[in-house]
Amino acid sequence: MKEDSELDSRGAATVIGTRDDDLARAASVILSGGLVAAPTETVYGLAADATNGAAVAAIYTAKGRPSFNPLICHVSDLAMAESLAHFSPLARRLAEQFWPGPLTLVLPRKEPCPVSELATAGLPSIALRQPKHEATLRLIRLVGRPLAAPSANPSEQLSPTTAAHVAAGLGARVDLIIDGGACEAGLESTIIAPGEGGAVMLRPGAQPRAEIELFTGPLLSPEASKGIVAPGMLRRHYAPRARLRLDAESPAEGEAYLGFGAPRAGVSPSLNLSIRGDLAEAASNLFAMLRALDESHVAIAVAPIPDTGLGEAINDRLRRGAAL
Ligand code: AMP
Ligand code: MG
């Protein structure tokens, strides 16, 4: 991994809003090959024209991403998605049910397909999603092409859930930042590959497993599936600088404590993901609170989080953030 100092994040990013003239400006930056950080309901994305190989390459450079992992392509609607990939009846049902929303579908790429091979890392598949964010959907419609967009942060670090997080991490390495406020879900999308032999969950995320399984039956793990590859599922990812200790009932000397649920007697959390014990609230606070504690502490202890519903994705991010 590159050190931060090797990446030039000095200089202020230009931050714009979500008015029509702002989005028109963002669309023209994208159409001329530039990078625009855009809000979605999951996290902020670093978006480029997915059909422009040089623009997609600039995403990897800006993030300091060590290898060319495939990127999720964001579409304005199902029609745009169907122009890029083959949809089985199940894939279409999932899109109709969950789009716009935090479910990414990995599907066979159509050939020919206008999306750059770099965005799909040379794979025969393509990852597609219609984000649930009005401004970004308007932006994609204005561009008229799919937008390749990973999270708008330096590689391996915490994902950004506000425009200020993007500016702090990427600075002038991004041409424009669209400030659409704090992200509603605060966690990346769930990634599913609905294949012939069953649907595989490649990454847990903001769309809980149980809701998807109503349509797919039990989701398979990537290990159990044959032939479906999800490169880029790095063991260490979503990491603060501070050391993370998970499932901690209380902080040790010198540790910040990130709580969940009603505080226990004698334990005062530095911050609490959700005093009510609400997993959706915890998900939306996760990255911002880790970031805040990371500013002032070298070690963070995190309370146990139940592994149900959105807890599966929260615990996945925490485990990767804790990996060395
Ligand atoms: P993100 O880091 O949020 O952009 O997520 C991208 C992840 O989606 C990648 O690291 C892959 O695991 C998965 N992915 C994207 N495109 C494909 C693809 N064509 N085939 C399989 N997995 C993909
Ligand atoms: Mg990311």
Side-chain angles (χ1 to χ4, degrees), residues 231-268:
M233 289 288 123
L234 302 175
R235 202 171 69 88
R236 181 175 168 80
H237 200 158
Y238 316 109
R241 285 163 218 273
R243 199 170 62 252
L244 279 186
R245 186 166 67 86
L246 308 184
D247 294 317
E249 299 292 345
S250 60
E253 184 73 34
E255 282 180 333
Y257 190 54
L258 184 57
F260 176 79
R264 276 179 298 281
V267 179
S268 52

Side-chain angles (χ1 to χ4, degrees), residues 277-305:
D278 178 61
L279 287 165
E281 184 182 29
S284 69
N285 284 331
L286 180 68
F287 290 125
M289 288 189 172
L290 284 172
R291 220 172 250 275
L293 296 177
D294 206 21
E295 303 261 298
S296 48
H297 289 79
V298 295
I300 305 169
V302 186
I305 316 276

Side-chain angles (χ1 to χ4, degrees), residues 2 9 111-112 122 127 154 157-158 211 218-219 240 289 293 298 306 321:
K2 287 192 180 181
S9 60
E111 291 305 340
Q157 296 182 16
L158 294 170
E211 293 168 21
L219 288 165
M289 288 189 172
L293 296 177
V298 295

Side-chain angles (χ1 to χ4, degrees), residues 7-321:
L7 296 168
D8 183 14
S9 60
R10 284 162 303 177
T14 303
V15 181
I16 60 172
T18 58
R19 295 188 332 214
D20 287 348
D21 55 331
D22 290 317
L23 297 179
R25 179 174 172 193
S28 82
V29 165
I30 287 176
L31 284 169
S32 56
L35 301 182
V36 173
T40 76
E41 82 281 32
T42 60
V43 303
Y44 273 70
L46 182 60
D49 174 358
T51 69
N52 178 338
V56 173
I59 292 178
Y60 292 101
T61 309
K63 284 180 64 81
R65 206 160 171 153
S67 58
F68 291 158
N69 298 327
L71 304 176
I72 296 170
C73 294
H74 294 72
V75 295
S76 53
D77 48 40
L78 184 55
M80 184 186 276
E82 295 204 62
S83 72
L84 306 173
H86 294 287
F87 275 70
S88 65
L90 174 61
R92 193 168 296 112
R93 272 187 81 196
L94 291 169
E96 283 165 357
Q97 181 68 27
F98 294 106
W99 286 2
L103 179 71
T104 295
L105 298 173
V106 172
L107 302 171
R109 192 183 144 115
K110 271 194 175 159
E111 291 305 340
C113 172
V115 167
S116 148
E117 296 262 354
L118 190 51
T120 52
L123 293 167
S125 55
I126 182 167
L128 295 170
R129 178 169 103 82
Q130 181 190 22
K132 190 177 174 186
H133 195 290
E134 204 34 59
T136 295
L137 286 173
R138 269 154 65 211
L139 173 66
I140 305 171
R141 277 185 226 114
L142 284 173
V143 172
R145 300 177 188 172
L147 300 184
S151 56
N153 56 293
S155 187
E156 292 191 12
Q157 296 182 16
L158 294 170
S159 299
T161 56
T162 66
H165 295 162
V166 179
L170 295 178
R173 279 182 271 148
V174 48
D175 295 306
L176 282 179
I177 300 174
I178 299 173
D179 187 348
C183 299
E184 195 187 325
L187 275 183
E188 295 77 3
S189 61
T190 304
I191 306 180
I192 299 292
E196 301 268 299
V200 180
M201 181 154 81
L202 300 173
R203 173 176 78 186
Q207 186 69 60
R209 166 194 293 272
E211 293 168 21
I212 303 166
E213 288 185 332
L214 294 177
F215 296 84
T216 58
L219 288 165
L220 307 172
S221 68
E223 300 76 44
S225 73
K226 287 187 272 307
I228 294 171
V229 279
M233 289 288 123
L234 302 175
R235 202 171 69 88
R236 181 175 168 80
H237 200 158
Y238 316 109
R241 285 163 218 273
R243 199 170 62 252
L244 279 186
R245 186 166 67 86
L246 308 184
D247 294 317
E249 299 292 345
S250 60
E253 184 73 34
E255 282 180 333
Y257 190 54
L258 184 57
F260 176 79
R264 276 179 298 281
V267 179
S268 52
S270 318
L271 289 174
N272 198 320
L273 288 168
S274 172
I275 293 175
R276 300 184 274 133
D278 178 61
L279 287 165
E281 184 182 29
S284 69
N285 284 331
L286 180 68
F287 290 125
M289 288 189 172
L290 284 172
R291 220 172 250 275
L293 296 177
D294 206 21
E295 303 261 298
S296 48
H297 289 79
V298 295
I300 305 169
V302 186
I305 316 276
D307 217 23
T308 52
L310 285 171
E312 182 178 11
I314 295 173
N315 283 319
D316 170 79
R317 304 304 185 269
L318 285 169
R319 274 193 299 275
R320 289 178 203 273

